[in-house]
Amino acid sequence: MPEIIRPFTLKDLKSLCHVLENVWDFDDHPRSLRSRLLVLRYALKCLLKSQAAFSAYVEDRFAGAVFLTLKNGRGHVLFLPLLTQLLVLRALITAFLWLTRYSFKYDYTRFEAKAQALTLQDFKDFPRSGGTIYLLIVDRDTQGRGIGRRLVERASVFFKERQVSFFFLFTDTFCNYGFYRAAGFKEEVARDVTAVFGPRPEDRIKARFFIFSRKVSP
């Protein structure tokens, strides 16, 4: 059965969390309650920040997703009443993690936001309008089948429909950043940032963050 790309729905949220947990390490104790809450919190952030999202399915199985933002911020993936509920859920998760003494100081999401802001300082010509891929993720079991490229092309169509000529994304050496070069993206900026994921010396990791750009397909 061929791959299917369709709009992301709330029914895909559980599958997205499963893929995120398989691909990225959110906690030292994978599959724990805290790890799963961190994954859900990150997935909710993606939903709350994006104007559009698309899911990839292979043989009726969720295989990946792409989340997109526009500089003008018009529209949203979900309806407003549902957004309010998700905001409340994310706040409850944050409160629970705080009460269980989770150290947000070492949270990857927090570090990622800071590193992206630093990288953006080096991109003097970053446009004030346009599009951004906020998240692109493909399940490990279906990587290498062209699903990531199909999601990128679907993003390009979305931006073209909104008369956006370029779109951008942030990535780092924790990810398969070579994929973006192979998919026609241009490296705009690269910056080395030290990641601090704990109090021990071995928890300090040097990573390189990138901004890539790509023209919208004609």
Side-chain angles (χ1 to χ4, degrees):
M1 182 180 293
E3 296 84 3
I4 297 173
I5 308 296
R6 66 192 192 197
F8 186 94
T9 69
L10 200 59
K11 293 180 181 179
D12 296 327
L13 181 59
K14 182 178 179 180
S15 298
L16 173 65
C17 289
H18 179 72
V19 170
L20 284 167
E21 197 168 13
N22 283 342
V23 174
W24 292 341
D25 296 323
F26 280 82
D27 192 64
D28 292 335
H29 304 285
R31 307 297 180 184
S32 66
L33 175 61
R34 185 173 71 180
S35 174
R36 291 181 176 180
L37 286 175
L38 286 169
V39 171
L40 177 56
R41 184 171 176 267
Y42 185 84
L44 291 174
K45 177 185 176 182
C46 293
L47 276 173
L48 294 166
K49 292 282 188 180
S50 302
Q51 277 75 54
F54 299 94
S55 301
Y57 275 79
V58 177
E59 298 176 354
D60 294 327
R61 179 172 172 264
F62 183 89
V66 62
F67 285 75
L68 312 173
T69 64
L70 293 167
K71 296 299 180 186
N72 58 26
R74 294 176 184 172
H76 209 281
V77 179
L78 303 170
F79 294 112
L80 185 59
L82 190 55
L83 288 177
T84 303
Q85 295 175 33
L86 294 182
L87 277 168
V88 172
L89 177 59
R90 189 169 186 271
L92 289 173
I93 292 172
T94 301
F96 177 82
L97 290 169
W98 182 80
L99 289 172
T100 54
R101 304 193 178 210
Y102 174 72
S103 178
F104 285 98
K105 178 180 179 181
Y106 304 124
D107 185 70
Y108 177 77
T109 304
R110 180 176 179 270
F111 164 73
E112 180 185 55
K114 181 185 290 186
Q116 288 182 358
L118 289 172
T119 307
L120 192 58
Q121 291 177 5
D122 295 337
F123 193 4
K124 304 302 182 183
D125 298 325
F126 190 74
R128 299 302 174 187
S129 62
T132 304
I133 292 182
Y134 191 81
L135 171 70
L136 173 65
I137 191 161
V138 177
D139 193 11
R140 289 187 190 276
D141 295 338
T142 52
Q143 289 179 3
R145 296 182 55 169
I147 295 170
R149 287 178 180 270
R150 288 202 61 191
L151 287 168
V152 168
E153 293 308 321
R154 185 62 187 87
S156 183
V157 170
F158 173 83
F159 291 130
K160 181 180 179 181
E161 291 171 347
R162 283 147 187 83
Q163 299 181 335
V164 174
S165 56
F166 284 84
F167 57 102
F168 302 84
L169 61 86
F170 289 90
T171 189
D172 55 58
T173 46
F174 295 121
C175 304
N176 180 20
Y177 61 93
F179 161 80
Y180 297 107
R181 293 194 180 102
F185 284 82
K186 173 188 174 184
E187 181 184 317
E188 297 285 357
V189 176
R191 178 168 182 154
D192 291 326
V193 184
T194 300
V196 182
F197 293 122
R200 303 170 301 176
E202 57 266 34
D203 293 328
R204 298 176 67 87
I205 303 171
K206 194 171 185 179
R208 176 163 286 194
F209 277 74
F210 304 91
I211 298 176
F212 283 98
S213 71
R214 186 179 137 162
K215 291 182 179 180
V216 170
S217 302

